[in-house]
Amino acid sequence: MSDAFVTPGGATLSAGQYDGMVREAHTNPEVFWLQQARRLTWQTPPTQASRSDFTQDVRIEWYADGFLNASENCLDRHVRTQPEKTALIWEGQEAGQREVLSYRHLYERVCRLANVLRRLGVKKGDCVAIHLPMVAEGIIAMLACARVGAVHVVLFGGFSAEGLAERLTDSAAVVVLTADVARRGGKRIPSKTTMDEAIARCGAASAVRHVLVVPVTGADVPMQPGRDLRYAEEVAKEAADCPAERMNALDPLFLLYTSGSTGRPKGLVHGTGGYLTWAAFTHAVVFDYKPDDIFWCTADVSWITGHTYVVYGPLANGATIMVYEGLPSWPEPGQWWDVIDRNGVTVFYTSPTVVRAAMREDEAVVRSRSLKSLRILGTVGEPISPEAWHWFHDEVGKGHCAVVDTWWQTETGGVMITAAAGCVVPRPGAAARPLPGVEAVLLDTQGKEVTGAGEGLLCMAQSWPGQAMSIWGDHDRFRQTYFTTCPGHYFTGDGARREEDGYYWITGRVDDVVNVSGHRIGTAEIEDAIATDHEVVESAAVGIPHDLKGQGLVVFVVPREQGVFHPSAVNTAVAAGVGRYAVPEKIYVVRDLPKTRSGKIVRRLLRKIAAHDLEGLGDLSTLADPDIVDELIATVKAQE
Ligand code: 6R9
């Protein structure tokens, strides 16, 4: 793999230097992490790195006596040294829509919005919800929140009104930024009216005082007098300077909702100092950052990947970021390759789903593009098969780019396990090695550490600066979710295999989370949504292997009355309760679910039956009703 290891022009860090960092971070973490914190500009530099503790109540605290502002780190310090450097290149999905913002321009736009937020009464510590597609204003809004000390909560455009309402209520957001209408290829998404419905659903629980409407398509949308304001009019009233709030390193920078084993989504809290240090450190080290890079992370900003590698990592490092609103294949295949060629993108960070979809297109699509500006390719969100890895390397990288698979999570803030470009030799299909300071361990189900080669639950023995600090408003749930399965360790929810020489292979979630095209979906959320249909007695959602999406979602439903029930009701309930993106692949209407005598659904059986994997179903005699298994197999077969 040496050709996928050495990047054109050579890497900034040598493999030897990188190994030195791994050793230093392991033996002398306090010194190492105080040194790494100097990547940032602090109002008051910290004198202590970590005082985190995974036992008892669990405490995640990095740089506790330091003060800084994240937007100053992403803007002001670059405006001082390189005001005319391009910070952001934006392209819209309609031909010719393009905007180039220098660091000075971006600074001014952020300051104007920050002044609007202050005028609307947003105070340090208040939550502000951002519900925008991939337009520059989404990034501007995040940085404007950071500037005034507000905690941003970016909400996915695919959530239903109910999904939005749940998160607005939980976060108690006081201001919301939404689009008039968002575009997704030929589809139009009614962002403003969905948000109106969400706020109405919150009822008395809503803390929303104002809605700022960003014109994306310019469509006419209903405006509620007093509450709703036009973004363009409001920012035009404000000055292009705005003093940044002084923030403690432990003050929350943002909440981001993600799915877990229980129905209620968790608002993970990321602090300012540790998170930003991790974002800057990992962006520089994993992607071998060079100042003339054009860095394109294709993730939506509503995903943690968008937070860390569209916004905070690259901008903290003074990089030029590419932001593209459109889909890879609309109106025709090859759009993203054209974005790379038009803009000279050097680092392209995307998902295995995108790679798999591109592999299925006519090879002339990728071969007719130059793509010669690229030097590093990355993937995230799900495992990449060796086949897809090689295709990415050979066809997109034309055989001369480093390829980095990156394993990490919303909870980890940034990349944790990877073959850092130019420093670690990749192995196609493997997540590779933990970054400096990442003390990964494998534990068996008894909590005993697996040493050497082996397989187990992937855990972290020590905190790292990017670690989430808590779950918003529920620290005990944070402790229970992540620190009780393997006491004294952070439990990731993933299983992994380790080779003799320390390379990790991720084997997938060991909990009830399904990963559909990199979307993390909790099966309990789906089941809760289906339960709102009174015709349904019970349901179970499980993940099955899917060629294109990695995993697909299928649902087994037990209706109150067989024969009368219409499966489309399930889709309606899921679309309304969660969002259209979570609508299942297949619905099996069944008489009952396989349960133990104590009434626990045996999901392992459902997963195997749904995947047509009927080998080794195991001992069925422990089931309350063993006959149900043959019925389920017949139902699945009938719908093949
Ligand atoms: C960044 C992000 C986290 C879960 C994680 C794991 C899966 C992510 C992966 C990967 C295999 C990779 N995952 N990256 N699995 N190889 N390179 O994806 O965050 O949305 O919180 O999802 O995604 O199962 O636990 P998030």
Side-chain angles (χ1 to χ4, degrees):
M1 270 316 118
S2 59
D3 59 341
F5 170 53
V6 181
T7 63
T12 310
L13 271 180
S14 70
Q17 285 169 322
Y18 180 88
D19 289 344
M21 286 168 84
V22 172
R23 276 194 303 275
E24 174 73 5
H26 180 71
T27 51
N28 232 332
E30 272 292 303
V31 174
F32 182 81
W33 289 117
L34 278 176
Q35 226 167 40
Q36 292 304 325
R38 295 202 203 122
R39 290 176 184 272
L40 306 182
T41 301
W42 296 77
Q43 295 165 351
T44 306
T47 62
Q48 188 186 16
S50 175
R51 54 174 204 217
S52 308
D53 180 2
F54 286 175
T55 64
Q56 291 170 17
D57 293 344
V58 175
R59 187 167 68 177
I60 311 301
E61 294 185 355
W62 282 86
Y63 308 121
D65 63 353
F67 285 82
L68 77 166
N69 183 287
S71 102
E72 272 187 342
N73 272 279
C74 293
L75 299 168
D76 306 44
R77 60 181 184 153
H78 309 312
V79 173
R80 281 196 291 276
T81 56
Q82 45 180 11
E84 301 314 322
K85 179 172 178 179
T86 300
L88 187 163
I89 307 171
W90 177 81
E91 284 197 8
Q93 74 161 29
E94 313 300 325
Q97 284 183 313
R98 189 162 189 271
E99 195 174 12
V100 178
L101 295 180
S102 66
Y103 268 96
R104 188 173 50 79
H105 282 134
L106 184 61
Y107 166 86
E108 290 175 0
R109 303 239 329 234
V110 168
C111 284
R112 286 184 204 280
L113 179 59
N115 283 323
V116 172
L117 295 176
R118 279 221 172 103
R119 167 157 57 80
L120 297 179
V122 174
K123 301 249 155 21
K124 178 172 164 176
D126 285 346
C127 283
V128 169
I130 301 172
H131 178 244
L132 291 168
M134 293 305 281
V135 290
E137 285 76 9
I139 294 150
I140 290 168
M142 290 163 77
L143 294 170
C145 287
R147 196 154 193 94
V148 302
V151 182
H152 60 69
V153 189
V154 185
L155 301 172
F156 174 48
F159 287 141
S160 62
E162 181 58 35
L164 292 173
E166 209 177 352
R167 290 159 177 86
L168 287 177
T169 305
D170 186 75
S171 63
V174 294
V175 167
V176 174
L177 285 102
T178 190
D180 46 8
V181 169
R183 297 181 277 239
R184 202 175 151 72
K187 283 201 213 116
R188 293 293 174 268
I189 296 147
S191 311
K192 170 64 164 68
T193 50
T194 308
M195 185 50 78
D196 285 343
E197 194 189 328
I199 297 170
R201 271 169 189 260
C202 297
S206 169
V208 176
R209 294 195 300 259
H210 289 289
V211 178
L212 277 165
V213 184
V214 175
V216 173
T217 65
D220 214 7
V221 290
M223 299 287 282
Q224 183 175 311
R227 188 194 71 179
D228 299 351
L229 302 164
R230 293 181 202 280
Y231 180 94
E233 285 172 16
E234 297 308 314
V235 292
K237 294 178 195 163
E238 296 295 339
D241 266 310
C242 173
E245 197 74 38
R246 178 177 159 86
M247 304 299 285
N248 180 244
L250 305 183
D251 285 333
L253 178 60
F254 63 86
L255 317 184
L256 193 58
Y257 286 92
T258 189
S259 300
S261 297
T262 59
R264 232 157 20 95
K266 310 177 276 223
L268 283 154
V269 183
H270 277 287
T272 306
Y275 170 81
L276 200 62
T277 301
W278 193 247
F281 169 75
T282 55
H283 169 254
V285 170
V286 174
F287 301 102
D288 179 33
Y289 171 61
K290 295 190 194 300
D292 52 6
D293 272 334
I294 311 280
F295 188 87
W296 185 18
C297 166
T298 67
D300 191 272
V301 280
S302 65
W303 188 21
I304 187 68
T305 308
H307 282 57
T308 310
Y309 300 108
V310 174
V311 185
Y312 288 110
L315 295 180
N317 288 332
T320 298
I321 59 170
M322 177 77 225
V323 178
Y324 179 59
E325 183 196 26
L327 301 173
S329 298
W330 188 90
E332 57 214 24
Q335 299 300 312
W336 284 15
W337 314 140
D338 289 340
V339 170
I340 293 171
D341 280 350
R342 247 191 329 267
N343 297 286
V345 170
T346 59
V347 184
F348 178 60
Y349 187 33
T350 192
S351 68
T353 293
V354 167
V355 176
R356 287 191 299 268
M359 276 171 85
R360 295 191 163 194
E361 291 164 353
D362 185 342
E363 59 187 25
V365 173
V366 66
R367 292 199 175 159
S368 61
R369 269 70 178 189
S370 143
L371 305 179
K372 68 172 190 305
S373 57
L374 290 172
R375 110 191 145 76
I376 293 169
L377 305 174
T379 58
V380 57
E382 24 162 358
I384 182 161
S385 67
E387 190 199 1
W389 192 101
H390 281 293
W391 186 89
F392 201 28
H393 174 257
D394 298 346
E395 297 293 341
V396 179
K398 313 287 183 199
H400 73 247
C401 293
V403 177
V404 294
D405 178 16
T406 61
W407 176 89
W408 59 292
Q409 314 177 288
T410 307
E411 293 86 343
T412 71
V415 176
M416 298 287 279
I417 303 182
T418 191
C423 297
V424 176
V425 179
R427 226 166 259 175
R433 288 183 177 280
L435 281 175
V438 173
E439 302 292 340
V441 291
L442 297 178
L443 300 181
D444 65 20
T445 42
Q446 265 73 55
K448 218 172 123 269
E449 190 169 337
V450 177
T451 52
E455 196 169 333
L457 304 174
L458 179 61
C459 296
M460 302 297 153
Q462 298 291 332
S463 186
W464 61 97
Q467 186 170 26
M469 297 170 60
S470 194
I471 290 175
W472 188 248
D474 200 347
H475 191 70
D476 198 53
R477 186 170 172 212
F478 179 68
R479 182 188 62 78
Q480 279 194 19
T481 307
Y482 302 109
F483 302 92
T484 53
T485 312
C486 306
H489 294 81
Y490 164 75
F491 171 49
T492 63
D494 281 347
R497 182 166 63 78
R498 188 175 50 216
E499 292 181 82
E500 199 63 63
D501 61 0
Y503 273 62
Y504 283 81
W505 297 69
I506 306 300
T507 52
R509 300 291 302 196
V510 297
D511 55 9
D512 296 323
V513 172
V514 179
N515 189 332
V516 181
S517 301
H519 278 298
R520 200 170 139 173
I521 301 175
T523 52
E525 275 170 76
I526 304 293
E527 292 158 14
D528 286 356
I530 295 172
T532 60
D533 184 329
H534 299 299
E535 302 291 300
V536 174
V537 177
E538 195 173 25
S539 72
V542 296
I544 54 164
H546 188 286
D547 282 352
L548 199 59
K549 301 175 180 176
Q551 278 193 301
L553 193 70
V554 304
V555 176
F556 292 84
V557 197
V558 183
R560 210 164 289 284
E561 253 182 289
Q562 292 280 343
V564 197
F565 181 73
H566 211 284
S568 67
V570 169
N571 289 342
T572 311
V574 173
V578 184
R580 296 195 61 80
Y581 72 98
V583 164
E585 206 73 35
K586 282 225 161 92
I587 299 158
Y588 299 117
V589 180
V590 295
R591 178 176 60 83
D592 201 358
L593 300 172
K595 289 187 184 155
T596 60
R597 288 203 201 93
S598 60
K600 212 170 177 316
I601 299 171
V602 187
R603 290 169 183 279
R604 178 185 55 82
L605 270 181
L606 289 174
R607 274 194 286 270
K608 286 179 81 76
I609 293 170
H612 308 281
D613 170 17
L614 304 179
E615 298 279 308
L617 288 182
D619 181 11
L620 304 180
S621 65
T622 56
L623 295 181
D625 172 13
D627 292 344
I628 194 68
V629 172
D630 283 335
E631 282 184 47
L632 293 170
I633 293 172
T635 307
V636 169
K637 239 196 154 80
Q639 281 190 43
E640 234 167 76

